[in-house]
Amino acid sequence: CPDAGPNFLHFFDLSIAPPLLLYSYIPIFFLCIFLGFFILIRDKYSVLSKYFFGINICFASYIFLSLIQWVGSYVEIVHLAWQFYLFPEICIFLFSIPFSYIFLFKKNIPYLYTYYLAAILVIISVILPTRLNVNYFDIVNCESVYGSFWHFEYIFELICIIAILLLFFKKILLEDKRSEKLKTILFSLGQVFFLGMKYQ
């Protein structure tokens, strides 16, 4: 990119990144990976821990790609990061629904949902290298310009948030224990807040 010069591993220029970017993103990146593996192993590879692991790894990938977009020295690297950006973005929301369902209702998701999940991942994988994902690269601002599919992506993320809210209300209506209701409220608020911040 015009304002970057390779000085770290020959591919990145850390000098062009805002200082707080490195201090905030890098610790969160390693924390996500640590928590993902820690919960997965401690919970003995349960279905719930696998979805939690998936969310953490996808979020770590999202952070990693964001860092590359900021500090990448070459246009090819920055553009490649923008092209892959959609995949972890979608997966964070996609995995949050079954994770919420299993946590709230203590049972696995309907088997049909796994087919929907797989189908969406295949569709996203096919779209990644096309102009539906990234239309072109703006060399002046050193960033890619989103394609038309991103309009549907925002709608999809909003649908995922609404789906989790519906699961929350269903659980509240079915639950009689006050402690369980409190746990449901805290969990749902955390999920919606996390996805809501990501949706911005």
Side-chain angles (χ1 to χ4, degrees), residues 88-101:
E89 172 110 10
I90 287 285
C91 287
I92 291 170
F93 286 82
L94 199 61
F95 293 152
S96 292
I97 296 177
F99 174 73
S100 299
Y101 184 91

Side-chain angles (χ1 to χ4, degrees), residues 12 24 26 37 55 71 136 138 168 181 192:
F12 308 105
S24 60
I26 292 178
F37 278 104
I55 294 170
V71 302
Y136 64 91
D138 183 354
F168 159 71
K181 283 190 175 183
V192 172

Side-chain angles (χ1 to χ4, degrees), residues 41-171:
I41 295 171
R42 284 297 298 269
D43 206 31
K44 299 179 180 179
Y45 300 91
S46 67
V47 177
L48 182 63
S49 66
K50 287 178 181 177
Y51 279 114
F52 182 77
F53 176 79
I55 294 170
N56 275 267
I57 294 303
C58 289
F59 191 63
S61 302
Y62 175 85
I63 292 172
F64 180 72
L65 293 173
S66 298
L67 284 170
I68 292 178
Q69 291 172 12
W70 274 98
V71 302
S73 298
Y74 298 107
V75 169
E76 294 86 351
I77 297 174
V78 177
H79 186 54
L80 186 64
W82 279 93
Q83 284 187 304
F84 280 110
Y85 207 54
L86 180 66
F87 194 81
E89 172 110 10
I90 287 285
C91 287
I92 291 170
F93 286 82
L94 199 61
F95 293 152
S96 292
I97 296 177
F99 174 73
S100 299
Y101 184 91
I102 297 170
F103 183 89
L104 292 173
F105 298 100
K106 304 298 187 291
K107 61 181 180 180
N108 206 351
I109 59 171
Y111 198 68
L112 189 61
Y113 182 85
T114 58
Y115 289 108
Y116 293 145
L117 192 151
I120 292 173
L121 293 180
V122 170
I123 292 171
I124 298 302
S125 299
V126 172
I127 288 174
L128 287 182
T130 70
R131 288 195 171 187
L132 292 173
N133 176 27
V134 174
N135 196 8
Y136 64 91
F137 191 84
D138 183 354
I139 190 64
V140 176
N141 296 308
C142 196
E143 62 181 23
S144 295
V145 177
Y146 289 144
S148 57
F149 183 79
W150 278 85
H151 299 295
F152 298 100
E153 191 266 348
Y154 294 134
I155 296 173
F156 173 79
E157 291 180 356
L158 184 59
I159 291 173
C160 289
I161 294 174
I162 293 173
I164 292 174
L165 284 173
L166 291 176
L167 292 175
F168 159 71
F169 287 118
K170 181 179 179 181
K171 176 66 175 178

Side-chain angles (χ1 to χ4, degrees), residues 178-196:
R178 185 174 180 180
S179 60
E180 287 295 320
K181 283 190 175 183
L182 179 60
K183 185 169 70 174
T184 299
I185 292 172
L186 292 175
F187 171 81
S188 301
L189 285 176
Q191 275 289 86
V192 172
F193 179 77
F194 167 68
L195 296 178

Side-chain angles (χ1 to χ4, degrees), residues 14-31:
L14 302 181
S15 65
I16 61 175
L20 288 179
L21 179 76
L22 301 179
Y23 291 117
S24 60
Y25 275 42
I26 292 178
I28 296 174
F29 171 79
F30 286 109
L31 182 63

